[in-house]
Amino acid sequence: MLERVNATGLTPSFRPLRIYWERLRRGDEIAHVLTLIFASTVIGVTALLVYQLWIQSALSRQKFGWAFFATRVWDPVGGQFGALPFLYGTVVTSAIALLLAVPLGLGTAIFLSEFSAKRISDALAFLVDLLAAVPSVIYGLLGIFVLAPLLRVWVEPVLRSQFGFLPFFRGPAYGVGFLAAGLTLAIMVVPFIVSVSREVLISVPREQREAALALGATRWETISRAVVPFAKTGILGSVFLALARALGETMAVTMVIGNDPKISASLFAPGYSIAAVIANEFTEATGSLYLSALIELGLVLFLLTFVLNGLARLLVLATAQRGGLLE
Amino acid sequence: MNGASIVQKHQNLEPVHLGQKDIPLVELPIGTIKPQFKISNLKVSYGAKEVLHGVDLDVFANVVTALIGPSGCGKSTFLRSLNRMTEVVRGTQVEGEILLDNENVFRMDVVKLRRRVGMVFQRPNPFPKSIFDNVAYGLRINGHHDSLSEAVEHSLRRAALWDEVKGQLHKSAYALSGGQQQRLCIARALAVNPEVLLLDEPCSALDPITTAKIEELLFQLKSSCTIVIVTHNMQQAARASDFTAFLLDGQLVEYQSTRKLFTTPSDPRTEAYITGRFG
Ligand SMILES: Nc1ncnc2c1ncn2[C@@H]1O[C@H](COP(=O)(O)OP(=O)(O)OP(=O)(O)O)[C@@H](O)[C@H]1O
Ligand SMILES: [Mg+2]
């Protein structure tokens, strides 16, 4: 500040305005104001969204209170609404998706960045980015016409006969259901994990790899104990991205989850998710309580995404602390 | 300079003074110094570009050998061939022979080779882990899990870092200063007890005091391992090394006892370089 004032050589009384003008001319201030406006827009839109969800769901919130979260019944005719089956469906399908997609995606990313030839890696990365851009309805079709029959005829009977002692793998094989939705979601989010993790792994500095190799680490030790730990935060970022997508995915899930507001331990059984029920029932929601309940579901989804992301971030902080990354 | 005259130079080596500054000099006849590395006709190319054009040189055990030469002459490349780190860079070809204790390094298991020949890089490259985990890294991948703390302390002491970090070993290595990080990297390399330690300009980012500490360290280390150090600092080479090799454009110009090379260099190019007239 001082230097700049001295440089302009102005009398003291004119300083602030002239400095401001000077900065404006240099583009500093314009850039500052413009980016500030953009940033506030983002915050503003988010606030507006929450506000709208909040007031439009007033009716439902007043009628059901906290019980909304614990009620299993969804009965538009009888005017009884509870979020539990949808919460359950959303969480279970996202969990299945991540459980399948994280090892698959991370493994692929490690192969592409560490083992495959650069040409193959680049070509596959391009393909993966394409997959990430495929509209979800296409994945829904894949789910309905390929995955669901496959699950019904092959996978679910085999799982039942081998792992039937677990409550998840009991009951009749419907094809459509939690497992089908989770699997479809897994296929949808794998490209995100692969694409981001590959980039992060590739950008691990060569010095880090060389440090491990020079200590006599094998290639795998270098990858698992130097490269991946270095890239940990970025890889977790890709998992959050995948989680966010899985939680909010609407179209593909609606097509394969069975759309039945039930809570079943069996993954073969049909269920419902928050996003799916909003999309399906919004147009036919007669009565203000019904509509209000759907909007409250939207609020719940928003909060769920918020809370899960927050938890994930806390997890990262905790592991970073243990790894000595932070003081 | 061709191979024959370099061999001749080796034979001409005067009795070596293993010592420095005011520490009493120990006179050793040439016969008692045994070569650890025997390098003959080493050629290295990156793709189509050959950067070392046939280097012959013996690195002697338990002494400090300095590599000097202008930027880009191939010092790092030479150093990296000794523990086969050249292979990490795609498209690198290495020709010639490198014997470590009469064993061809290219026929050795590369992992075992690198455990015997440690390396410290030009820029400090600690892992984003705690100080303790950094030093223990090499031990852990070697399957040592007992008495890690003693080993870590011992290595940190050898690297002259212990007094500065004791009691905060759980802190991130990134919280250390550049000089401390470099000594941490030395401790990390020392923890696995290498027979040879390769240092690529370890002091280029360090202040004079830390540099002096590291030079002191080299002096203490050479009783237990062989040291090869690349440096751009003539004073450092003169102070801290017993032998000096001068590389120019991928060729070995002169290889002498440090004292002789810096007082009576036999090649005019060496003289020009050490007096700062080119490079
Ligand atoms: N990965 C690489 N690919 C292609 N050429 C390389 C590579 N690494 C080094 N070179 C070339 O090889 C030559 C020798 O490089 P080297 O790093 O061995 O030099 P140096 O003597 O260590 O130099 P400096 O003192 O600047 O570190 C240089 O001309 C450099 O451009
Ligand atoms: Mg170099």
Side-chain angles (χ1 to χ4, degrees), chain B residues 59-76:
Chain B
V59 176
F60 296 107
N62 296 98
V63 297
V64 177
T65 304
L67 287 176
I68 59 170
S71 187
C73 69
K75 303 180 296 294
S76 298

Side-chain angles (χ1 to χ4, degrees), chain B residues 136-156:
Chain B
Y137 188 92
L139 294 168
R140 287 195 174 124
I141 60 172
N142 277 303
H144 301 295
H145 294 285
D146 324 316
S147 56
L148 276 181
S149 341
E150 287 97 87
V152 167
E153 178 177 342
H154 182 62
S155 307
L156 285 169

Side-chain angles (χ1 to χ4, degrees), chain B residues 70-77 80 122 200-201 230 232:
Chain B
S71 187
C73 69
K75 303 180 296 294
S76 298
T77 305
R80 291 166 63 90
Q122 179 166 356
D200 195 348
E201 295 180 49
V230 171
H232 273 288

Side-chain angles (χ1 to χ4, degrees), chain A residues 108-116 121 197-199 201-202 209 227, chain B residues 90:
Chain A
T108 311
I110 289 176
F111 172 76
L112 291 182
S113 70
E114 307 296 320
F115 291 106
S116 79
S121 172
S197 301
R198 187 189 87 108
E199 290 295 326
L201 286 171
I202 284 179
R209 297 165 202 275
V227 176
Chain B
R90 273 180 198 166

